[in-house]
Amino acid sequence: MTAAPTAVRITSIDDALEVAAQLSEEFAGDAARRDAERELPHAQIRQLAASGLLAVTVPRAYGGLDVPFEVVAEIFRLLAAGDPSIGQIPQSHFTFLEALRTQGSPDQQRFFYGEVLSGALLANAQSERGPHPINVDTTVLTRLGEDYVLSGRKFYSTGALFADWIMVRASLFEGPGTPDASTPKAVAFVPRDTEGLTIVDDWDGMGQRTTASGTVTLDHVVVPASSVVPYSPVFAGPNTYGSQAQLVHTAIDVGIATGALREAVVQAGRARPHFEANVARATDDPLLVQIAGEVTVTVRAAQALLSVAARAVDAARADTTDESTAIASIEVATAKVAAARAAVEAANVLFELGGTRSASGAANLSRYWRDARTHTLHDATRWKLQHIGRWTLDRTPPPRHGVI
């Protein structure tokens, strides 16, 4: 496979955040129209890849900047504040780079980090549908001589339509029978133009409409052993794999909340005052001011908890123990609950502050609520509250498998 065009090399954290802020502003400019017309952001994703942001976690030994995850979280918050769909698309890119970092061989790391530094985008094919639990993969990798054959069907494959490499999580299985939760898993790195791999643009979600989170089918795809990275061993000991992935999703929710609050301020400035307030401007209505203050506290709290969680993840990455990784998971779970609430509340309050005109279909402000409600379905916050409560009451550690 030919690598993507060479990307810019970002050499400092300040530069990374500046680039993210600039792209966020650019992407926001046409986000409402793209959502309304379901115009997929191919050009914007290529722009993101060329910016160098996709390579910021590559280790320094391989030519990267290796930024802390507090920076990664802020990059995602900024991108999602501009366009939540674009913010969502690269999340699995960073998640599977972590699998490469912890489980890849030096040769695999050298090759795939090189691809990413050149601007390649990785995307996931891991979720499945069906009666089996979510921790069972019926997609299988079967030995074929020195290599493997990959067969199965994946859904919610966010970003796959834009990607250079598809990361397929599969069970290492020879049969007979079917895989179960105990079957070892691996991640296959598959070039998007591989024979037998089909990416279907059939995502019809009410929100995040331009993520192209559709179906990936794999029909006897041949995968060289050099492109298969172990997955199950990631969770054999204390790890930050799950907390890092959840931190990125948390940042997306906080980004949605940030963007919705920013738009709410704009709409409030255009709204007509209620006659009972006896004021010249809607923004002088004390009841509206109260609502604005309440939602600001909610959003600012979510932003602060995101930072706290990110620092806990970075601390656990620097000193990976049962205690540090448990704390990181709990901090991320706490931030995720707050972020989900903030995203939905800010998207709802937008209409309270904007009044009747904000419900105009042409303005397409409903996209904030639709994006928030869709993305906050990712990982049940009700279970995060269970883990948080048990940790609070008796220090019961959360599971290592990364679902919280």
Side-chain angles (χ1 to χ4, degrees):
M1 175 179 177
T2 302
T6 300
V8 172
R9 292 291 178 96
I10 294 178
T11 58
S12 73
I13 288 174
D14 287 344
D15 286 348
L17 295 176
E18 182 178 352
V19 169
Q22 290 173 348
L23 289 178
S24 175
E25 185 175 353
E26 288 185 40
F27 296 160
D30 215 18
R33 184 191 60 78
R34 281 195 302 273
D35 175 88
E37 299 177 6
R38 199 177 178 273
E39 178 185 295
L40 300 182
H42 289 283
Q44 289 77 16
I45 296 303
R46 285 298 99 192
Q47 186 179 1
L48 175 62
S51 74
L53 285 179
L54 298 181
V56 294
T57 61
V58 171
R60 290 183 181 273
Y62 293 93
L65 187 57
D66 199 13
V67 303
F69 261 73
E70 186 172 10
V71 175
V72 175
E74 180 62 7
I75 288 170
F76 272 89
R77 188 192 71 84
L78 288 166
L79 292 175
D83 184 332
S85 286
I86 291 177
Q88 172 76 0
I89 286 167
Q91 55 85 18
S92 60
H93 172 97
F94 289 92
T95 298
F96 284 109
L97 281 178
E98 177 65 8
L100 179 68
R101 185 183 72 84
T102 61
Q103 301 300 317
S105 69
D107 285 343
Q108 288 174 323
Q109 291 174 343
R110 189 176 302 108
F111 177 78
F112 288 110
Y113 285 143
E115 289 284 290
V116 170
L117 286 166
S118 294
L121 171 66
L122 318 180
N124 87 94
Q126 58 177 341
S127 295
E128 296 185 353
R129 289 177 179 169
H132 53 280
I134 61 171
N135 62 339
V136 175
D137 285 314
T138 60
T139 298
V140 296
L141 269 169
T142 305
R143 273 288 185 181
L144 177 67
E146 296 297 316
D147 298 319
Y148 293 88
V149 171
L150 179 62
S151 296
R153 188 177 182 87
K154 298 289 188 176
F155 298 89
Y156 311 122
S157 302
T158 299
L161 202 67
F162 310 99
D164 303 287
W165 291 86
I166 313 300
M167 311 291 96
V168 184
R169 193 183 66 196
S171 295
L172 292 166
F173 189 72
E174 301 294 333
T178 56
D180 58 29
S182 67
T183 306
K185 295 180 175 65
V187 176
F189 287 53
V190 184
R192 64 156 298 139
D193 55 1
T194 299
E195 183 177 356
L197 183 150
T198 304
I199 303 170
V200 183
D201 179 21
D202 58 357
W203 169 242
D204 65 350
M206 68 173 182
Q208 294 192 300
R209 298 182 68 232
T210 61
T211 59
S213 299
T215 301
V216 170
T217 58
L218 305 131
D219 184 10
H220 294 86
V221 174
V222 176
V223 183
S226 60
S227 293
V228 175
V229 173
Y231 181 79
S232 295
V234 169
F235 308 106
N239 66 87
T240 58
Y241 187 89
S243 59
Q244 287 174 211
Q246 287 297 302
L247 182 71
V248 170
H249 284 295
T250 302
I252 293 168
D253 285 341
V254 176
I256 295 171
T258 302
L261 178 56
R262 182 173 59 205
E263 184 61 40
V265 172
V266 173
Q267 295 303 315
R270 298 171 178 172
R272 293 193 300 169
H274 185 70
F275 71 93
E276 291 180 276
N278 196 30
V279 294
R281 303 182 309 161
T283 50
D284 291 327
D285 180 340
L287 300 183
L288 189 145
V289 170
Q290 177 74 18
I291 293 171
E294 294 284 358
V295 72
T296 298
V297 169
T298 298
V299 175
R300 290 288 298 276
Q303 292 170 346
L305 286 170
L306 175 65
S307 295
V308 170
R311 289 194 291 272
V313 168
D314 286 329
R317 282 167 59 87
D319 183 18
T320 306
T321 66
D322 286 328
E323 177 80 1
S324 68
T325 55
I327 290 172
S329 288
I330 293 299
E331 293 292 359
V332 172
T334 303
K336 184 66 168 66
V337 172
R341 293 172 176 175
V344 174
E345 182 176 340
N348 187 52
V349 166
L350 190 165
F351 295 95
E352 291 289 332
L353 298 184
T356 305
R357 67 181 294 166
S358 63
S360 164
N364 194 24
L365 298 179
S366 66
R367 68 187 177 90
Y368 289 100
W369 186 89
R370 290 185 286 103
D371 286 342
R373 185 64 279 191
T374 299
H375 187 260
T376 54
L377 295 174
H378 197 291
D379 304 298
T381 55
R382 61 186 180 273
W383 275 102
K384 297 184 191 306
L385 288 166
Q386 288 289 308
H387 295 306
I388 294 165
R390 289 168 182 163
W391 176 264
T392 299
L393 293 174
D394 57 19
R395 303 291 280 188
T396 299
R400 283 179 176 173
H401 48 68
V403 298
I404 78 159

